[in-house]
Amino acid sequence: MESSVEQGLALLFEESSAGNCAVSLPPNDVSDAREGTRGLKPAARYEGIPAGLLAGEPPPLPEIGEQDLVRHYTRLSHRTFSVDANFYPLGSCTMKYNPKINEAAASMPEFLNLHPYQPADQVQGILELLYQTRVFLQEISGLAEVTLQPAAGAHGEMTGLMVISAYHRDRGEDRINVLVPDSAHGTNPASCTVCSRVAQTVASKPNGRVDLDDLRKKVDRNTAALMLTNPNTVGVFDEQIGDIADILHKQGAMLYMDGANLNAMLGIMRPGDFGVDCMHINTHKTFSTPHGCGGPGSGPVAVTNQLSPFLPIPQVIKKSDGTYDWDENRPKTIGKVRSFYGQIGVLVRCYAYIRSLGPDGLRNASEKAVLSANYLAARLKGHYKLPFAGPYAHEFIMIPEFGDSGVTELDIAKRLIDHNFHPPTMSWPVHHCLMIEPTETESLRTLDSFADCLIKIAREAKETPDLVKNAPHHAPVKRLDEVAAARKPNLRWQA
Ligand SMILES: *Cc1c(COP(=O)(O)O)cnc(C)c1O
């Protein structure tokens, strides 16, 4: 155990030694609740409580001094991988740098100390910010109205499908089917199920685009919508999008766009202009907010005029007298999808990001994101298999293929950890692939060192495959047995 303490990996329980304490309280000068019980063992003090319910001894909590406690958590925090420390090319997640000015804005006491029960006339500032964010997202998406309520992308998908279902029901139709391409993010079919819709798979062509013949075969009067990510999860923009929208609209079905990849098109094109009826926006991805490990997020949903009567309440509005308010009076609304008003802190960051970049800055961000991805793809071509032809949008997938070396995408990912790079997304949407999304915020130097590293690993995979297969070698935790880790979770460090 000595060595694990040295590495800073001991549990607090292991660092404990009797008598240490992180706080010193003054002596108790108040008598115990029951006269004459002071100093007695707990069991004697709580007469009347059945003996079986009383602990004989205090609980075995770690006993540790303040400085050791601080050091323990500081050491642990240094083991956390973050965008602020290293390159994080996690495909589909848009792990861009999060400007610190966003954090300054979100932690202003004027925002931080608001209470959701305050009446609208006391909180005009935040309402104006939310209203403007709504208008910005309407402009960016090219759609008529945005709700800021959903708490994340997947929650936006659910909200969008509820809105679309309410629209169809309002016209006397219960369209049960939702089409989802085989490359879709797992949340798409899951959202269908949550909304009592049936997800049906649409095939993709070998070039990664939707198979229009298969789509035509599957769309009918029972189709509520197609959920499409564009640019899609293999990193290519489906330029058939106008035809796809026509095929759906002819049958009265809606085109839902999963907006997770919006970072590729800010200011370049607008989904509303190419036929999208409804989309969610992952503001924590496209408009920055630290969002590793599942939160926090925000998933505003943008819709056409046709769908807007069904949006959730409350909606932030600007009244004719120029003041702002919450509108709850929408007769066709699907109702509330979240308590209170949405993920306000994340929306403040989104607003700060949009305002600090401005229209040209947003476009520049997307152009650089696309350039970075295509640059990396060009450097890695020839070392890894790129199953889909470029040009790519803001991410691409590649497959490690090293003959009979047995080196897999998992091994490449683990070896990257030895070089302080976060592994890319793995094994999705194509078996054995790595999905790389560099984002616009990385310097040419970082992109080059990542490409150099992957090229070196490709050489190792051929020459010394065991080195790659046993990676990581330099991380605090070595290769884990992931099956056992899931089946027999043991949180204790074993040296
Ligand atoms: C991230 C992502 C989602 C889910 O969004 P969350 O904000 O994580 O709920 C859905 N679809 C795609 C393509 C994504 O990348």
Side-chain angles (χ1 to χ4, degrees):
M1 215 28 82
E2 209 61 63
S3 65
S4 64
V5 173
E6 266 164 36
Q7 290 176 33
L9 288 164
L11 302 178
L12 275 182
F13 290 91
E14 293 160 350
E15 292 181 36
S16 169
S17 56
N20 281 330
C21 185
V23 287
S24 19
L25 297 174
N28 185 5
D29 60 356
V30 181
S31 66
D32 260 341
R34 288 191 334 107
E35 208 51 54
T37 59
R38 186 175 304 176
L40 292 183
K41 282 219 167 240
R45 295 208 330 233
Y46 299 105
E47 206 180 282
I49 299 177
L53 297 181
L54 288 173
E57 298 294 327
L61 295 175
E63 294 176 69
I64 193 157
E66 179 173 337
Q67 186 174 32
D68 289 334
L69 187 66
V70 168
R71 285 186 179 157
H72 176 84
Y73 283 109
T74 305
R75 277 196 299 260
L76 272 183
S77 75
H78 289 172
R79 298 201 181 283
T80 302
F81 196 101
S82 74
V83 181
D84 282 357
N86 292 100
F87 185 40
Y88 208 135
L90 193 64
S92 211
C93 295
T94 312
M95 306 302 279
K96 62 172 72 179
Y97 174 70
N98 304 289
K100 298 299 166 263
I101 191 168
N102 297 357
E103 302 307 311
S107 38
M108 283 166 68
E110 291 81 353
F111 292 135
L112 214 52
N113 297 331
L114 290 173
H115 193 281
Y117 283 138
Q118 276 174 270
D121 62 358
Q122 286 181 11
V123 292
Q124 286 293 299
I126 187 73
L127 292 187
E128 180 176 359
L129 180 149
L130 293 173
Y131 180 79
Q132 284 199 13
T133 305
R134 215 193 103 185
V135 173
F136 293 152
L137 296 180
Q138 285 163 190
E139 180 59 33
I140 288 167
S141 63
L143 285 158
E145 189 170 349
V146 160
T147 171
L148 302 175
Q149 298 292 317
H155 194 208
E157 292 171 29
M158 185 200 82
T159 304
L161 287 180
M162 286 172 71
V163 164
I164 289 171
S165 301
Y167 162 82
H168 289 309
R169 263 199 306 278
D170 187 57
R171 301 165 73 231
E173 296 179 349
D174 185 31
R175 296 177 174 235
I176 189 87
N177 295 329
V178 175
L179 303 176
V180 180
D182 48 16
S183 62
H185 193 267
T187 51
N188 293 182
S191 299
C192 297
T193 306
V194 168
C195 293
S196 309
R197 305 292 101 178
V198 178
Q200 282 185 334
T201 304
V202 180
S204 302
K205 292 189 292 189
N207 67 3
R209 273 74 169 176
V210 171
D211 182 336
L212 291 192
D213 293 333
D214 195 48
L215 178 65
R216 277 193 202 94
K217 252 185 264 160
K218 289 184 177 153
V219 185
D220 59 23
R221 309 299 295 185
N222 283 320
T223 308
L226 165 74
M227 292 181 94
L228 189 73
T229 312
N230 202 22
N232 66 19
T233 52
V234 301
V236 293
F237 182 77
D238 198 328
E239 54 288 282
Q240 316 171 103
I241 189 73
D243 296 334
I244 293 172
D246 286 346
I247 293 169
L248 293 162
H249 293 155
K250 280 208 182 86
Q251 295 287 344
M254 296 282 146
L255 175 55
Y256 181 98
M257 190 174 108
D258 179 326
N261 291 344
L262 190 61
N263 206 45
M265 60 168 87
L266 295 174
I268 299 171
M269 55 191 164
R270 309 190 309 166
D273 297 338
F274 54 67
V276 168
D277 299 288
C278 181
M279 69 178 291
H280 74 259
I281 297 166
N282 308 62
T283 73
H284 45 293
K285 296 180 180 173
T286 310
F287 302 106
S288 73
T289 282
H291 64 280
C293 300
S298 172
V301 169
V303 297
T304 56
N305 274 323
Q306 227 175 353
L307 294 176
S308 64
F310 305 93
L311 285 177
I313 50 168
Q315 173 66 297
V316 63
I317 52 163
K318 185 172 185 177
K319 295 195 293 192
S320 51
D321 64 1
T323 61
Y324 300 89
D325 204 355
W326 292 112
D327 180 16
E328 308 256 358
N329 182 22
R330 297 173 76 106
K332 292 190 173 181
T333 176
I334 57 166
K336 283 179 84 72
V337 294
R338 193 191 182 282
S339 55
F340 301 119
Y341 306 120
Q343 301 277 79
I344 301 296
V346 181
L347 293 167
V348 172
R349 289 172 176 85
C350 170
Y351 174 85
Y353 183 81
I354 292 175
R355 286 301 301 269
S356 50
L357 266 72
D360 294 340
L362 291 177
R363 184 185 170 112
N364 188 22
S366 280
E367 287 175 349
K368 285 223 174 88
V370 171
L371 180 62
S372 299
N374 282 279
Y375 177 74
L376 273 185
R379 283 219 50 201
L380 294 169
K381 202 174 171 175
H383 303 278
Y384 292 84
K385 179 175 156 190
L386 271 60
F388 299 101
Y392 305 102
H394 66 317
E395 65 192 359
F396 64 98
I397 65 166
M398 62 179 209
I399 300 180
E401 274 192 345
F402 302 109
D404 50 14
S405 70
V407 170
T408 65
E409 73 276 21
L410 178 70
D411 303 323
I412 306 286
K414 297 289 185 192
R415 186 69 176 132
L416 280 168
I417 295 173
D418 279 336
H419 297 276
N420 290 320
F421 292 117
H422 194 283
T425 298
M426 285 188 338
S427 319
W428 172 79
V430 172
H431 288 306
H432 306 304
C433 80
L434 294 168
M435 184 202 275
I436 297 175
E437 179 184 1
T439 83
E440 70 280 9
T441 55
E442 298 302 330
S443 66
L444 183 59
R445 190 164 163 266
T446 300
L447 297 180
D448 274 332
S449 64
F450 182 65
D452 291 344
C453 180
L454 274 169
I455 291 167
K456 184 176 101 109
I457 295 174
R459 199 168 56 237
E460 289 173 352
K462 287 180 229 152
E463 292 168 7
T464 51
D466 283 346
L467 180 70
V468 184
K469 284 197 254 183
N470 292 315
H473 303 279
H474 309 306
V477 176
K478 306 286 178 280
R479 185 75 68 109
L480 297 171
D481 180 338
E482 290 179 7
V483 177
R487 298 227 172 112
K488 296 185 207 154
N490 176 4
L491 303 180
R492 201 181 165 76
W493 166 258
Q494 272 150 357

